[in-house]
């Protein structure tokens, strides 16, 4: 019942809306029946499909058909727009709904030879659609607010659990970090002077670990710090792949002071190396591009590997990419996009 079937609507929600229309149509039919029963010579039927359609279901069915495109435009197409902007649009859609539904209802009624209000009484076929429009869209907006509030409450609960886990992880990481630093220094000192490349790689690995410990305690770091960390990681990968790995970083220095969550880029870069470049005999290129667009800081990590047809499947190939997507969704309300790169490979894109 809670499975989404179209436009984010669940079967339960669709059935509730249909029930709302059926009940509204019946009470309108009942009201009309009670208002005219005393002036009719013969008794009219309250129940029966024909009487129900003629007495209210046809008109409310037309309301429903007019509601669908308006609802889609306001709650799906303009979902990310500000609330006041969508509310203003009701001044445009309300007269369209009122006069449009009345016109269609009268045309169908006359074609079928059914009765409809005429003269001054026809004003009710303007007032009732207007009132119904305000009631139903008032309910839709209230329900949207309720769902958003529930989503935030759920997210807050998940964030509290994540924060607790992060705090425990940070405590564990702080138990004796100097032990690992000393181990790196001991290994580095034991390497013969002739193996300078090895000594440098060990020192780089030590720097990576030091940054990870720092990241476990910080909520934000500068873009410059994060890029330096990624560069050190790529330096280690470069030693492994040698000429098979080419690296291109396009980031203006004017953005270096921007604050971003720590350890955000490395899992994405690692995914490009592991699943994009490592499987290619000739290797390839990893490119990192970061730029500002309006108030958004946009990130693109691209590789020239073989690419993947089923983009969703790559989230099951490693923990880093999946965790980064969940982190962006739950903590920063940002979506991780997986696109095809040109001329080949994959491109990962997101914005903060």
């Amino acid at each position: 019942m809670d499975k989404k079937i179209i436009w984010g609507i669940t079967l339960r929600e669709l059935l509730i809306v249909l029930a709302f229309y059926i009940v509204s149509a019946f009470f309108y039919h009942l009201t009309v029946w009670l208002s005219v029963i005393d002036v009719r010579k013969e008794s009219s039927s309250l129940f029966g499909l024909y009487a129900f359609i003629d007495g209210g279901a046809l008109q409310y069915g037309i309301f429903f058909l007019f509601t669908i495109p308006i609802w889609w435009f306001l709650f799906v197409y303009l979902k990310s727009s500000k609330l006041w902007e969508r509310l203003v649009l009701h001044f445009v859609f309300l007269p369209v709904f009122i006069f449009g539904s009345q016109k269609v209802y009268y045309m169908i009624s006359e074609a079928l030879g059914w009765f409809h209000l005429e003269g001054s009484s026809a004003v009710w076929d303007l007032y009732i659609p207007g009132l119904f429009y305000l009631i139903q869209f008032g309910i839709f907006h209230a329900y949207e607010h309720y769902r958003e509030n529930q989503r935030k409450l759920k997210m807050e609960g998940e964030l509290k659990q994540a924060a607790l886990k992060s705090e425990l992880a940070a405590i564990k990481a702080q138990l004796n970090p100097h032990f690992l630093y000393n181990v790196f220094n001991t290994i580095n000192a034991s390497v013969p002077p002739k193996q300078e490349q090895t000594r440098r790689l060990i020192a780089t690995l030590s720097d990576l670990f030091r940054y990870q410990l720092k990241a476990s305690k910080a909520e934000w770091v500068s873009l410059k710090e994060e890029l330096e960390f990624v560069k050190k990681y790529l330096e280690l990968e470069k030693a492994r792949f040698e000429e098979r790995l080419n690296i291109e970083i396009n980031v203006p220095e004017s953005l270096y002071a921007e604050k971003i969550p720590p350890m955000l880029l490395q899992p994405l870069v690692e995914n490009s190396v592991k699943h994009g470049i490592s499987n290619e005999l000739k290797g390839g290129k990893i490119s990192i591009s970061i730029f500002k667009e309006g108030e958004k800081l946009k990130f693109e990590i691209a590789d020239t590997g073989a690419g993947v047809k089923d983009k969703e499947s790559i989230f099951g190939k490693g923990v880093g990419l999946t965790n980064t997507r969940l982190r962006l969704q739950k903590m920063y309300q940002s979506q991780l996009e997986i696109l095809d790169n040109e001329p080949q490979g994959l491109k990962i894109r997101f914005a903060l």
Side-chain angles (χ1 to χ4, degrees):
M1 291 288 284
D2 290 326
K3 183 178 180 181
K4 294 181 179 179
I5 53 178
I6 186 173
W7 296 332
I9 303 174
T10 65
L11 179 60
R12 184 195 305 273
E13 292 167 343
L14 181 60
L15 292 176
I16 290 174
V17 171
L18 290 176
F20 171 71
Y21 267 87
I22 291 172
V23 171
S24 298
F26 175 77
F27 275 103
Y28 177 79
H29 169 52
L30 175 63
T31 302
V32 173
W33 181 80
L34 290 173
S35 65
V36 300
I37 190 171
D38 293 334
V39 299
R40 289 185 176 178
K41 294 180 179 179
E42 70 280 354
S43 62
S44 59
S45 175
L46 174 62
F47 301 101
L49 182 60
Y50 178 86
F52 177 57
I53 294 175
D54 184 19
L58 173 62
Q59 188 173 19
Y60 278 79
I62 294 170
F63 291 168
F64 182 70
L65 294 178
F66 271 81
T67 296
I68 291 173
I70 298 174
W71 176 88
W72 176 86
F73 189 76
L74 293 175
F75 292 89
V76 178
Y77 184 75
L78 296 180
K79 184 178 180 180
S80 59
S81 299
K82 296 179 180 178
L83 177 61
W84 70 266
E85 293 175 339
R86 293 188 290 156
L87 291 177
V88 167
L89 286 174
H90 284 300
F91 289 100
V92 177
F93 291 129
L94 178 59
V96 172
F97 182 89
I98 293 173
F99 293 103
S101 62
Q102 184 204 45
K103 186 70 173 178
V104 173
Y105 174 59
Y106 282 8
M107 287 175 58
I108 295 176
S109 296
E110 290 170 3
L112 296 175
W114 290 355
F115 168 79
H116 67 73
L117 298 176
E118 296 178 349
S120 60
S121 298
V123 71
W124 288 102
D125 284 330
L126 298 177
Y127 171 75
I128 291 174
L131 181 62
F132 186 79
Y133 178 97
L134 295 175
I135 292 173
Q136 71 166 349
F137 278 101
I139 293 173
F140 290 159
H141 280 292
Y143 181 67
E144 180 189 48
H145 176 74
Y146 166 78
R147 286 212 312 181
E148 181 64 19
N149 188 55
Q150 291 298 111
R151 185 188 68 82
K152 288 181 178 179
L153 289 175
K154 181 180 178 182
M155 185 180 296
E156 286 176 4
E158 292 175 347
L159 287 177
K160 287 180 180 178
Q161 291 183 349
L164 179 60
K165 291 180 180 178
S166 296
E167 186 176 351
L168 291 174
I171 292 172
K172 291 178 181 178
Q174 294 171 23
L175 287 177
N176 199 357
H178 294 291
F179 166 74
L180 287 172
Y181 294 150
N182 293 334
V183 168
F184 282 129
N185 291 332
T186 300
I187 295 174
N188 205 9
S190 67
V191 175
K194 292 182 180 180
Q195 301 291 331
E196 183 59 31
Q197 173 71 359
T198 303
R199 294 165 64 97
R200 189 167 59 83
L201 292 177
I202 293 174
T204 301
L205 182 59
S206 178
D207 290 339
L208 289 179
F209 182 74
R210 185 178 291 106
Y211 181 82
Q212 285 183 305
L213 284 178
K214 176 185 176 182
S216 68
K217 306 173 188 177
E219 185 177 356
W220 302 94
V221 295
S222 69
L223 181 57
K224 182 180 180 180
E225 291 176 297
E226 184 77 1
L227 284 174
E228 287 176 353
F229 172 69
V230 171
K231 288 175 183 177
K232 288 182 182 295
Y233 164 75
L234 288 172
E235 184 180 339
L236 292 175
E237 294 289 15
K238 183 74 173 175
R240 180 162 66 105
F241 290 100
E242 297 179 339
E243 299 304 319
R244 290 178 56 211
L245 177 60
N246 295 303
I247 302 164
E248 179 181 320
I249 298 179
N250 302 308
V251 183
E253 289 188 11
S254 58
L255 298 180
Y256 280 2
E258 293 282 342
K259 296 295 184 180
I260 67 170
M263 294 295 295
L264 192 63
L265 295 179
Q266 188 274 335
L268 306 180
V269 175
E270 181 181 355
N271 179 79
S272 295
V273 173
K274 185 176 180 181
H275 300 292
I277 304 302
S278 64
N279 297 325
E280 296 291 304
L281 292 177
K282 62 181 180 179
K285 183 172 74 172
I286 302 289
S287 62
I288 303 171
S289 299
I290 304 174
F291 55 94
K292 200 77 177 281
E293 192 173 282
E295 295 298 319
K296 295 284 188 179
L297 191 62
K298 298 203 169 182
F299 300 77
E300 289 184 356
I301 296 93
D303 66 73
T304 57
V308 179
K309 289 185 178 179
D310 184 5
K311 306 294 189 297
E312 194 65 24
S313 67
I314 67 175
F315 289 104
K317 294 182 178 180
V319 176
L321 196 63
T322 301
N323 285 350
T324 301
R325 179 171 71 166
L326 291 173
R327 186 182 179 196
L328 286 169
Q329 288 176 342
K330 295 184 180 299
M331 299 185 72
Y332 308 105
Q333 292 77 54
S334 179
Q335 296 298 321
L336 195 66
E337 297 181 84
I338 309 295
L339 309 168
D340 290 322
N341 190 33
E342 295 295 338
Q344 66 178 41
L346 287 180
K347 180 185 292 184
I348 301 174
R349 188 166 64 190
F350 66 95
L352 291 178

